[in-house]
Amino acid sequence: MIEQRTLQTLEFDRIRERLAAHTAFSASRALALALLPADDAPAVRRAQRATTAARRLYDDHPEITIGGARDIRTQVELAQRGGMLEPAALIEVGATLRAMRELRYALLKLPESYAPLLDLANVLVDLSEIEAIIDRTFDGGGEVLDSASPDLGRIRAQARIAHARLMERLQSIVNSPTYAPVLQESIITMRDGRYVIPIKATGRRSLRGIVHDQSNTGATLFIEPLATVELNNTWRELQLAEQQEIIRILQVVSAQVGGHGLRIRTGVDALAQIDLLFAKGRFSAELHCVEPEIAGQEPPEFFPTTFASQPADDEAVQRIPDGVALRLVQARHPLLQQATVVPTNLWLGGGPDHVRILLITGPNTGGKTVALKTAGLLSVMAQSGLHIPAAWGSRLSIFEGIFADIGDEQSIEQSLSTFSSHMTHIITILDTLQRERLGARALVLFDELGAGTDPTEGAALARAIIERLLDLNCLMIGTTHYAELKAYAYTTPGVENGSVAFDTETLRPTYRLEVGLPGRSNALAIASRLGLESGLIERARSFLSTESEAIEDLLAGIARERDAAVTERARAAELREDTEKIRDQLQHELDRFEQERVERLRAFEAQLDGELRDARQEVRRLRDDTRAVSVTREWMQQAEERLKAVDERVDSRRQTRPTSVPAVQAPRPFQSGDRVHVASVKLDGEILDVDQVAGEADVQVGGFRMHVDLRELRRLKGGDGERSTVATPTQPQRAPSASTRSGGSTSTPVRDVSMQLDLRGMRASEIDALLDRYLNDAYLSNLDQVRIVHGKGTGTLRKIVRDALVAHPLVASYAAGIDGEGGDGVTTARLVR
C-alpha cells in the first residue's frame, strides 16, 4: 500500500478532486475522492481496460449517461427497516430506478469490446413495476394523485363537495346586508385550519359564533359562524381522512421499495461504479491521455482515432530502450497547463546497462522537480486505473511502495524543508525498504538529495544513500546540484545521469529532460549574461576547485560528443533511408522484368503446344489413312515424306524459342521397360509400349495394363523409388523401319507392339476399332502371331472377336488357346505373310 504521505506529496488529492468534478451524483463522487492505487498487476490491468472502455464510449456515444440517478441507498435502507418514505424520496427512488433501467439496456446493446461496462450493466436492476407504482402515485410536483387509491379518490371528491358547501354558506353571510355593518372586511380567511370571518369587536353580539383569533389591537375578531360549524367539521374530517389515506399509501409504496431494497442498493453501487468509469473516461479525454502498458501484462490495444497519436519520432524517444520498468514518452504533469507544458521523456529500470537510479541535474526552476513529480504521480494514477497524459508506448511497473521526499511537500515551485526534516523522512524510507525488502517493486523519489548542509558532506551523504539503494535493488529518481554525484553516476553501473537543459542566450530553461547527459548549474553563465562585470566572473571562477572545474569540463565534453553522435546518427539514418528507397526501386524494376520474361515464355510455350497438338493430329490422321487403304510402296513413300515435313516444321518452331529463356536439356524419351510413376492413380509400374508420336504409353501397374498420356508419367531412378522430373519427349520418335512382307521395301516406321492384346473389361462397341488398330500395328511390326485375351464369361466377347478376325484382311487364321494357356478365354491369330 502506498502511504498517504506520498499521495499528499505528489498532490494526488488534486487529481481526485478533478476526477470527482466529472461525476454525476454523490455516490460516484465519494468513490472518486476515495480512489486509491492498487498494487496487484492483473487488477490494475483490468481497471485500465475498464477506463479504456469508458473512454471509447465517451468518444463514440457521448449521449449515454446515468440520467437523473441519485444516491438513494439511505432512503432504501430506511424502507427496509419498515420506515415510511416521504413523497420526494419516493420520487427520487423512481427516477433512479428509471435511470438504471435505461442505462442497463443502452449498455447491453454495445459490442463485446465494452466488456467491463457490460459486466456492471448486468448488475443494474430493472424494477419497472416499482417505477409504475411510483408514477401512478405522485405527480411531477410530489403530490399524491387521486388515482393512488380508490379510497383517496372518493375522500377527495367528498372533501371538494363539503368545501364548496362551506364556502357557499360563508359567502352568503359575508354578502348579507344584515351583517354588513359589523364586518371589518368582506373576506373569508382561515385560522387554525378552519374558515372564519373578520368582524368588528364592537359587533360581536351581532354574529353568533366561535372566536378563533383576534388582531393585535383587539379591534378585529375572527369568528367561525355557528351556521358553518358543522360544514367546517365535515370538511376537516374529510381532510384528516385524506391525510390518513395518504400515509397509508406512502407506507405501502415504501414497503414495496423496502422489499427490493437489497437489489436496489446493489444497483446503486454498480451505478456509482459505472459513473466513476464515465468520469475516468471524461478525465482521460480532457487531458488527452492514453492507456499505459503495464509491465508483465498484455499490451493495450491502440485506438488511433480515439487516443493520442503515436509518440514523436525524435531522438529522445528513439534512445529509450525496450523492456524497461518505467518508460514515459512525451509525459505531461496533469496539474500544469497542458497547452504550454513541455513533455518529458524518461525511462528507468532496465536497458543494456540495467539502470536503476537516475540523477537529474540542471539549474533551479529548470523542471527537475516537475520531472520527478511527473514520474511519481503518473505511476500512482496508472495504479489507480486512470489513463496518463503521455504518448502511446508509455510503460509502467506496479510498485508496492512509492516513497517521496520532495521540497516542503506542498508545492512544485518551493523548497522550504530543513535538512533535519529531510533526513528524518529519508531514514524512515530506508528503514521501510530494508524491512519490507521491496527491491524493484519500490520507486523512490528524492528531491535535492543531501541539500541543506555543507556541500562536501552533503554530496558524500547523498552518495552513501544512493549506494544503499543500489544494494536494495530499488528504483530511484533524484535531483541534485553536486558535481561529485554527476561524476559518480557517469562511472557507476546502474546509475545514469539526466539533465534539464538551459538556454544561456535567453536565460530561460527549456524544461526538456535528457537521460544520459549531466546538466550544469550555469550560475556563472547566467550572471555574465545578466551583465555582471567580467572581472568578477573570472575571480569567481578562480575560486572553483580544480577538481570541480575538471568535472564540469569533462561533463561538457561528454555533452559535445553526445551531440556529435546524435548528428552522425541522424545523417546515417538519412543515408539508410535513401539506400532503402533505391533498393526498393531496383527490386521493383527487377520484379517487373522477371514478370515480363515469364509472360513471354508462357506465351511462346502456349504457341508451341498448339503447334505440337496440330502436328500430332496430322500424324494420327496419317496413321488412320494407313489402316484405311491398301499398303503400297508408293503410298508408304508419300507417308514418309508427309511425316518428314511435319518433323521439320516442329523442329523449326522449337528452334525459334526466345533467346532470353535458357535452354534446358531434354530428358531421354520413355522406352519399354522403364520404371515409372503414374500421377493419375499415384502408383508405380513398368512401360510395356510407347507411342511417342501420339504421346501415349501402355503401362503394367500390378495386375492391370493401363493406357495413359506420357505427361502423367514420372521416371523412377534406378528402381529405388525416387522420382525424377518430368521426362516428356521434346519431339516425336518413330520405331525403326522394317522390311515389308511384300518385297523388302521400307515401310512406315511403327512403334513396338506387344504380342498380346487384353480386351477383358472392354465395351463391345470398343472392340472392333481397338482390335483393328492392334492388328494393323502388329502387321507393321512383322509379328507372325498374336494372342487376344477376351475371357470366357458368357461368350459374347469371344464371338465378337472371332467374327472380326474372320473378316479382317490381315488375319490368315485363328484358333482357340491350348489348355494351360487360357483355353477358350484366348484366341490365337496368325497374320498373313
Side-chain angles (χ1 to χ4, degrees):
M1 178 65 69
I2 299 174
E3 60 182 10
Q4 186 63 31
R5 181 173 183 176
T6 298
L7 299 181
Q8 292 176 352
T9 300
L10 297 176
E11 300 178 277
F12 186 59
D13 286 343
R14 294 181 59 189
I15 296 297
R16 290 187 290 204
E17 290 171 0
R18 291 186 61 173
L19 175 65
H22 290 288
T23 59
F25 74 129
S26 58
S28 54
R29 177 177 176 81
L31 291 178
L33 294 176
L35 186 65
L36 290 173
D39 55 11
D40 177 63
V44 172
R45 177 73 179 96
R46 289 193 298 271
Q48 287 290 339
R49 288 182 62 242
T51 302
T52 298
R55 171 67 187 276
R56 291 183 58 199
L57 184 69
Y58 177 73
D59 288 340
D60 299 337
H61 303 281
E63 72 282 359
I64 297 181
T65 65
I66 67 166
R70 295 291 183 269
D71 185 5
I72 57 174
R73 290 174 295 184
T74 302
Q75 296 93 313
V76 173
E77 186 178 0
L78 174 61
Q80 284 182 284
R81 295 198 304 266
M84 185 188 73
L85 302 184
E86 294 296 325
L90 289 170
I91 289 175
E92 287 188 351
V93 170
T96 302
L97 292 177
R98 183 178 302 105
M100 277 197 282
R101 176 175 53 82
E102 293 175 350
L103 181 60
R104 171 188 171 89
Y105 290 112
L107 293 179
L108 291 179
K109 293 178 181 178
L110 299 174
E112 284 298 322
S113 56
Y114 294 94
L117 292 173
L118 302 184
D119 294 340
L120 288 171
N122 283 313
V123 183
L124 298 176
V125 296
D126 180 0
L127 295 175
S128 303
E129 65 278 11
I130 302 298
E131 290 181 51
I133 291 173
I134 294 175
D135 289 341
R136 289 196 306 267
T137 303
F138 304 102
D139 62 12
E143 295 293 331
V144 179
L145 296 172
D146 293 354
S147 58
S149 76
D151 287 344
L152 181 62
R154 177 181 54 79
I155 292 171
R156 284 184 171 175
Q158 293 175 353
R160 284 191 290 271
I161 294 173
H163 183 267
R165 290 174 179 173
L166 174 61
M167 296 304 294
E168 181 181 1
R169 187 71 183 93
L170 289 171
Q171 195 65 45
S172 66
I173 293 173
V174 170
N175 295 333
S176 173
T178 304
Y179 303 110
V182 298
L183 294 179
Q184 189 75 319
E185 291 183 79
S186 298
I187 62 173
I188 301 170
T189 186
M190 182 176 284
R191 289 294 186 271
D192 298 330
R194 300 181 73 89
Y195 285 106
V196 295
I197 297 174
I199 66 171
K200 299 174 183 178
T202 58
R204 175 183 177 184
R205 296 184 181 278
S206 300
L207 180 62
R208 297 180 63 187
I210 302 172
V211 178
H212 287 278
D213 198 4
Q214 67 178 4
S215 64
N216 292 333
T217 62
T220 304
L221 299 177
F222 296 92
I223 294 179
E224 177 184 1
L226 289 178
T228 63
V229 170
E230 283 301 323
L231 293 175
N232 243 328
N233 288 342
T234 300
W235 178 67
R236 286 294 297 160
E237 289 172 0
L238 291 172
Q239 279 188 314
L240 294 176
E242 178 187 3
Q243 292 301 318
Q244 290 174 354
E245 180 62 16
I246 289 175
I247 290 173
R248 188 192 67 81
I249 291 171
L250 293 179
Q251 289 174 339
V252 170
V253 177
S254 299
Q256 293 275 3
V257 172
H260 296 86
L262 182 59
R263 293 181 62 196
I264 295 174
R265 291 167 59 190
T266 303
V268 173
D269 290 340
L271 194 63
Q273 293 287 347
I274 293 174
D275 190 49
L276 178 62
L277 287 178
F278 287 177
K280 289 181 178 180
R282 287 187 284 267
F283 181 78
S284 174
E286 178 188 27
L287 294 179
H288 304 287
C289 297
V290 298
E291 177 185 350
E293 177 185 349
I294 303 300
Q297 299 294 304
E298 181 182 355
E301 182 181 355
F302 178 61
F303 299 100
T305 60
T306 304
F307 294 90
S309 60
Q310 295 278 16
D313 187 21
D314 57 28
E315 184 66 24
V317 174
Q318 298 302 316
R319 286 200 301 268
I320 300 179
D322 294 328
V324 296
L326 181 67
R327 169 189 168 103
L328 295 179
V329 182
Q330 303 290 300
R332 308 177 305 278
H333 195 287
L335 299 179
L336 299 179
Q337 287 292 333
Q338 299 298 295
T340 58
V341 64
V342 177
T344 296
N345 297 306
L346 183 149
W347 62 270
L348 193 64
D353 298 327
H354 301 287
V355 175
R356 301 193 301 277
I357 293 181
L358 175 65
L359 292 178
I360 304 175
T361 54
N364 288 327
T365 71
K368 300 189 302 297
T369 305
V370 171
L372 197 69
K373 277 197 168 186
T374 299
L377 184 54
L378 265 58
S379 295
V380 172
M381 288 174 61
Q383 291 182 219
S384 302
L386 296 172
H387 287 170
I388 62 173
W392 195 260
S394 296
R395 188 172 192 263
L396 294 167
S397 289
I398 301 302
F399 298 109
E400 294 184 19
I402 298 179
F403 306 91
D405 183 73
I406 301 175
D408 62 356
E409 302 184 357
Q410 292 181 1
S411 173
I412 290 177
E413 292 83 6
Q414 300 179 5
S415 178
L416 304 177
S417 297
T418 63
F419 174 78
S420 59
S421 64
H422 275 291
M423 195 51 54
T424 300
H425 191 197
I426 291 173
I427 292 171
T428 303
I429 292 173
L430 293 176
D431 289 343
T432 303
L433 292 173
Q434 191 160 3
R435 182 179 65 256
E436 300 293 337
R437 298 184 181 276
L438 295 177
R441 292 172 289 124
L443 175 64
V444 181
L445 307 172
F446 284 155
D447 188 25
E448 301 292 352
L449 183 61
T453 187
D454 177 75
T456 303
E457 293 183 356
L461 187 60
R463 177 171 174 175
I465 293 172
I466 293 172
E467 289 180 350
R468 173 59 61 85
L469 293 176
L470 282 174
D471 293 340
L472 294 174
N473 197 34
C474 299
L475 301 183
M476 172 202 153
I477 304 175
T479 66
T480 184
H481 285 285
Y482 295 137
E484 295 87 347
L485 293 183
K486 303 175 190 177
Y488 171 73
Y490 183 73
T491 58
T492 304
V495 185
E496 183 65 276
N497 273 305
S499 63
V500 286
F502 190 87
D503 190 338
T504 56
E505 295 297 323
T506 63
L507 300 181
R508 293 180 179 275
T510 64
Y511 303 107
R512 293 184 63 86
L513 174 65
E514 294 190 4
V515 177
L517 282 180
R520 308 181 68 178
S521 297
N522 296 298
L524 298 182
I526 294 173
S528 176
R529 181 65 178 171
L530 290 174
L532 187 63
E533 184 181 338
S534 60
L536 292 177
I537 297 294
E538 292 301 322
R539 182 60 176 169
R541 196 180 303 278
S542 67
F543 292 144
L544 293 174
S545 66
T546 305
E547 181 179 357
S548 298
E549 191 169 0
I551 291 174
E552 291 292 339
D553 291 341
L554 173 63
L555 298 178
I558 293 173
R560 287 192 297 270
E561 292 177 3
R562 170 76 171 272
D563 292 341
V566 169
T567 302
E568 289 298 324
R569 187 179 302 157
R571 175 58 180 163
E574 292 178 0
L575 293 175
R576 182 171 62 252
E577 184 178 357
D578 292 341
T579 302
E580 290 176 352
K581 288 181 179 178
I582 295 174
R583 183 194 62 189
D584 294 342
Q585 184 177 359
L586 291 176
Q587 184 64 42
H588 176 72
E589 293 293 331
L590 180 61
D591 293 343
R592 185 175 59 83
F593 173 77
E594 179 64 19
Q595 184 178 0
E596 291 179 356
R597 187 188 70 81
V598 170
E599 289 176 354
R600 291 177 57 194
L601 178 59
R602 288 176 178 172
F604 175 78
E605 289 179 345
Q607 183 180 3
L608 186 60
D609 287 342
E611 293 285 346
L612 288 174
R613 189 165 51 252
D614 294 342
R616 286 174 176 169
Q617 291 176 355
E618 186 170 352
V619 169
R620 289 193 184 96
R621 185 174 59 81
L622 292 174
R623 186 175 59 197
D624 294 339
D625 290 346
T626 303
R627 297 171 183 157
V629 301
S630 299
V631 181
T632 64
R633 183 186 301 274
E634 181 180 357
W635 185 92
M636 293 297 294
Q637 290 178 352
Q638 292 175 357
E640 286 284 351
E641 292 175 358
R642 290 161 67 186
L643 283 173
K644 183 177 180 181
V646 171
D647 287 344
E648 291 176 353
R649 185 166 69 252
V650 172
D651 289 341
S652 64
R653 293 299 298 163
R654 290 188 178 278
Q655 292 173 3
T656 59
R657 186 184 186 91
T659 57
S660 60
V661 180
V664 179
Q665 183 177 1
R668 176 179 64 79
F670 288 118
Q671 297 178 355
S672 298
D674 285 348
R675 292 286 297 167
V676 294
H677 177 77
V678 184
S680 59
V681 296
K682 299 181 181 179
L683 295 173
D684 297 341
E686 180 179 349
I687 295 179
L688 300 177
D689 190 17
V690 181
D691 186 348
Q692 299 285 3
V693 175
E696 300 171 341
D698 292 330
V699 180
Q700 188 71 31
V701 179
F704 299 94
R705 177 170 178 155
M706 301 181 61
H707 194 69
V708 297
D709 194 294
L710 291 180
R711 289 174 293 184
E712 296 184 17
L713 303 182
R714 302 290 184 275
R715 181 179 287 107
L716 300 177
K717 295 183 179 179
D720 58 359
E722 181 183 356
R723 294 165 193 166
S724 67
T725 56
V726 178
T728 304
T730 59
Q731 66 181 14
Q733 300 289 327
R734 291 175 297 182
S737 63
S739 299
T740 65
R741 300 178 189 274
S742 60
S745 63
T746 305
S747 64
T748 304
V750 296
R751 57 189 173 95
D752 294 335
V753 179
S754 174
M755 295 185 64
Q756 176 175 297
L757 174 64
D758 192 344
L759 298 178
R760 287 175 295 183
M762 303 294 293
R763 293 189 179 92
S765 60
E766 301 174 342
I767 298 299
D768 287 340
L770 183 61
L771 183 60
D772 179 67
R773 186 174 66 177
Y774 172 70
L775 293 174
N776 285 333
D777 292 343
Y779 177 83
L780 293 175
S781 297
N782 294 322
L783 296 180
D784 294 330
Q785 181 177 293
V786 294
R787 297 176 73 250
I788 302 169
V789 180
H790 44 66
K792 297 180 181 180
T794 60
T796 302
L797 193 59
R798 179 177 65 245
K799 183 178 185 304
I800 294 173
V801 169
R802 291 180 180 179
D803 289 347
L805 293 178
V806 169
H808 202 284
L810 297 179
V811 178
S813 63
Y814 69 87
I818 62 177
D819 292 338
E821 295 184 1
D824 284 341
V826 176
T827 299
T828 302
R830 186 174 298 280
L831 304 182
V832 297
R833 293 182 179 276

